[in-house]
Amino acid sequence: MGLTLGEVAIRFGCELRGDPDVRVESIGTLSGAGPGALTFFVNPRLREPLRQTRAAAVVLAPEAADDCPVPALVCRQPHATFARIATLLHPVPVAPAGIHPTAVVDAAARIAPSAHVGPQAVIEAGATVGERAVVGPGCVVGAGAVLGEDVRLVAKVTVCHGVLIGARSILHPGAVVGSDGFGYAPQSGTWVKVPQVGTVRLGEDVEIGANSTVDRGAIDDTVIADGVKIDNQVQVGHNVRIGAHTAIAGSVGIAGGAIIGARCQLAGQVGIAGHLSICDDVVLTARAMVVNDIDEPGVYASGVPVEKFADWRRILARLKRIDILARKVNDMQRRGGSPGRRDDEDDA
């Protein structure tokens, strides 16, 4: 469907600088968009592509409007506004209500009349599929699991027994929610499996990326609050709790029992040790490793940025000699009468 810029400006509260009759029908990048395509600008590094764009219109903040050579939709949150407009221009196809002939649905399952169950999907006994929910091809909904209204399982998603999925949540291909947690008790050099008797509770508007896994609780439940966004190939361990509207990028690993606050941002390959707590509004940069509680909002980092190989070898060699250097400094301080710090006081 197409929209005029005048319609868009009114609907989303933008200031329009340009012809209100210009129509947009699709979206594109600053460099790739042409006539009929809408784009947006938020990254200062893309100032030059903005100046050269041939898009039908650009969604941007007031301070960038003077650099825009085409009609502009001016607002304070251009990325979010662009996302809402894009949703109108590219709506998700509505799946037809009904159950595909190849689906296997237990007689004791409850399927809303408006729900869609795709080919080769499996719905086990006691499961509930809410109004307008979509169970895509090859998905499995375990016994007693509950899918809320407008939930969408895209394809080959596994929702294990007893899992609760809140309204409008989206699970992408290969996601697994409610598998057993990594729970084992050591016994004389062997491992005894601990039954994982909790479940997983997902709030409303949660999104889980492709091939990500959320383990069920060992005793209590694993809980993911409203609006949490989880990228691809993320591991969430048993009994983890994640606060509302936290965003987690790809390849993050969260060990069992960790508690993560609301509105946090975890960049790619972050690692969270088990049974610790992270407060609200914490940002962890890529490859950060968290091994202690964080009780103050802010930005935290621990990953080492890439260096040229020769430079990294020199840095690594110096790191290996840091203990020797520390002892020499302590010896110099003692000889000079300074209190210094004893070797046995080293934090390591």
Side-chain angles (χ1 to χ4, degrees):
M1 62 178 286
L3 298 168
T4 68
L5 296 185
E7 291 171 333
V8 172
I10 293 171
R11 184 161 186 168
F12 295 97
C14 301
E15 175 195 349
L16 175 59
R17 300 188 185 183
D19 184 354
D21 293 327
V22 170
R23 295 187 69 82
V24 289
E25 298 180 348
S26 62
I27 60 174
T29 63
L30 283 167
S31 300
L38 181 74
T39 188
F40 73 103
F41 171 81
V42 293
N43 188 342
R45 295 181 180 180
L46 299 179
R47 183 79 61 174
E48 193 56 34
L50 170 63
R51 294 185 178 117
Q52 298 178 12
T53 189
R54 300 177 63 188
V58 181
V59 185
L60 41 65
E63 55 269 23
D66 290 343
D67 288 326
C68 184
V70 298
L73 292 161
V74 181
C75 58
R76 282 294 174 189
Q77 294 184 307
H79 198 180
T81 301
F82 171 80
R84 291 188 174 95
I85 301 169
T87 300
L88 283 181
L89 295 173
H90 298 274
V92 176
V94 178
I99 300 172
H100 194 275
T102 63
V104 179
V105 179
D106 191 277
R110 295 180 292 277
I111 313 296
S114 59
H116 169 87
V117 179
Q120 298 183 344
V122 176
I123 314 291
E124 295 182 352
T128 299
V129 179
E131 296 290 347
R132 300 172 302 280
V134 174
V135 180
C139 292
V140 175
V141 181
V146 176
L147 308 185
E149 296 179 354
D150 299 294
V151 164
R152 182 156 59 98
L153 312 183
V154 177
K156 293 186 177 180
V157 173
T158 301
V159 177
C160 296
H161 65 278
V163 168
L164 308 177
I165 309 291
R168 299 175 301 280
S169 292
I170 301 171
L171 279 63
H172 289 278
V176 177
V177 179
S179 52
D180 275 3
F182 193 65
Y184 302 92
Q187 182 182 40
S188 304
T190 65
W191 299 99
V192 178
K193 183 175 177 64
V194 178
Q196 306 291 288
V197 300
T199 188
V200 178
R201 290 186 280 128
L202 265 61
E204 298 181 348
D205 301 297
V206 171
E207 189 159 356
I208 297 180
N211 294 323
S212 287
T213 54
V214 181
D215 291 345
R216 68 191 315 109
I219 300 175
D220 293 329
D221 298 339
T222 301
V223 179
I224 297 178
D226 294 350
V228 169
K229 310 302 181 188
I230 296 177
D231 197 3
N232 302 334
Q233 297 179 331
V234 171
Q235 160 66 15
V236 179
H238 57 190
N239 297 109
V240 167
R241 291 177 176 260
I242 302 175
H245 305 294
T246 284
I248 300 174
S251 300
V252 168
I254 305 173
I259 298 174
I260 299 171
R263 300 176 302 280
C264 293
Q265 299 177 46
L266 280 58
Q269 296 189 340
V270 163
I272 310 290
H275 304 286
L276 54 73
S277 178
I278 297 173
C279 69
D280 298 345
D281 300 303
V282 166
V283 176
L284 299 171
T285 64
R287 304 191 74 180
M289 175 61 69
V290 183
V291 295
N292 295 301
D293 291 350
I294 297 177
D295 55 14
E296 184 176 339
V299 180
Y300 295 79
S302 65
V304 179
V306 67
E307 300 281 353
K308 289 184 177 180
F309 181 66
D311 294 339
W312 173 243
R313 290 185 63 183
R314 285 194 294 270
I315 292 169
L316 185 60
R318 290 165 183 163
L319 286 173
K320 288 182 176 180
R321 294 198 297 269
I322 196 166
D323 281 345
I324 297 172
L325 177 61
R327 292 188 182 95
K328 288 182 178 179
V329 170
N330 287 340
D331 289 343
M332 292 173 61
Q333 289 175 327
R334 281 195 291 267
R335 287 197 299 269
S338 172
R341 185 178 184 184
R342 300 193 313 273
D343 290 341
D344 59 7
E345 293 177 327
D346 189 80
D347 289 337

